[in-house]
Amino acid sequence: MYTTIVRRRFGALLVAAAALATAVALLPTVPAHANPVGIQFISRTTPQRCLDNDSDTRTNPRTNVQLYTCRKITNDLVTWWQFWIEEHPSNWQAGHQRYRNFGADKCLTYAQGSTAGAPVWTERCGIAGQGYSVLNLGLGADDLPIIQLQAVEVVGSLCVSAVDPSGGNRTGINLQPCWPATSQNTWKRNQTSIP
């Protein structure tokens, strides 16, 4: 009888532990990184906005990216949608990198072989269409580097661009020719440590 009681209590503990694990898994979390350097890509449209992972579509396999009002870095999930971690997979060509969104833990993605006008989104990291090279265009008046994000798995020279030069909130992001450099296809790179 004692053995039966112990088994029942142990079984109840296992059920409770499984329920707790499920509840924790449903909480919004941010991936663990050891004090990473986060990058904010600030548009050069008027007004200026930041490259933002749309939290409204975060549960979709493909999450929208957009321009949105820039936020200062704080220990707050809302701000983390705008910060990106530059990664250099060991098997990639030198000078190529991918960008992992700190809030969504997904990478900036496009369809491999895309042509001008193709959309950009975030999706699980480690798939095709996530390689970029950085084209440096010098420093802005605020001493932040002005750069272009050139997709390296496409047809021609295409860069991450704002769809609309007015640059309002929720402006979409796509690939457009890198040249000439415009307010839509160039970004200011603001780099900071994430708490």
Side-chain angles (χ1 to χ4, degrees):
M1 181 176 178
Y2 176 77
T3 303
T4 301
I5 292 173
V6 169
R7 285 177 177 170
R8 286 178 180 170
R9 288 183 177 173
F10 184 68
L13 285 172
L14 288 177
V15 171
L20 178 62
T22 300
V24 169
L26 294 175
L27 292 174
T29 59
V30 170
H33 295 280
N35 297 321
V37 172
I39 300 168
Q40 231 177 356
F41 294 110
I42 305 170
S43 74
R44 299 183 68 233
T45 57
T46 304
Q48 293 182 349
R49 308 283 185 187
C50 281
L51 186 63
D52 180 276
N53 192 90
D54 178 17
S55 61
D56 291 343
T57 59
R58 66 184 179 275
T59 58
N60 297 347
R62 291 184 175 186
T63 302
N64 296 335
V65 288
Q66 60 188 5
L67 294 183
Y68 209 81
T69 302
C70 295
R71 298 182 175 95
K72 293 183 179 179
I73 183 64
T74 64
N75 193 15
D76 179 350
L77 185 63
V78 173
T79 68
W80 289 331
W81 302 116
Q82 293 187 352
F83 285 83
W84 304 81
I85 299 168
E86 188 173 88
E87 298 180 337
H88 304 268
S90 59
N91 61 334
W92 281 22
Q93 180 178 324
H96 291 179
Q97 51 271 321
R98 68 184 176 207
Y99 292 92
R100 183 186 298 267
N101 183 267
F102 191 67
D105 199 28
K106 297 177 182 178
C107 286
L108 197 62
T109 308
Y110 51 87
Q112 192 175 40
S114 288
T115 55
V120 176
W121 63 90
T122 58
E123 194 169 350
R124 66 181 177 85
C125 299
I127 62 175
Q130 294 179 345
Y132 299 88
S133 64
V134 176
L135 307 179
N136 293 295
L137 304 181
L139 295 177
D142 52 8
D143 288 333
L144 289 177
I146 298 173
I147 61 99
Q148 290 179 302
L149 290 178
Q150 183 179 33
V152 297
E153 301 172 55
V154 299
V155 178
S157 178
L158 300 178
C159 284
V160 175
S161 304
V163 171
D164 187 340
S166 65
N169 277 343
R170 298 195 179 278
T171 294
I173 304 297
N174 67 5
L175 296 177
Q176 293 292 342
C178 297
W179 306 108
T182 68
S183 62
Q184 289 173 255
N185 64 19
T186 56
W187 306 82
K188 292 194 293 185
R189 177 186 172 111
N190 182 33
Q191 191 164 297
T192 185
S193 294
I194 297 178

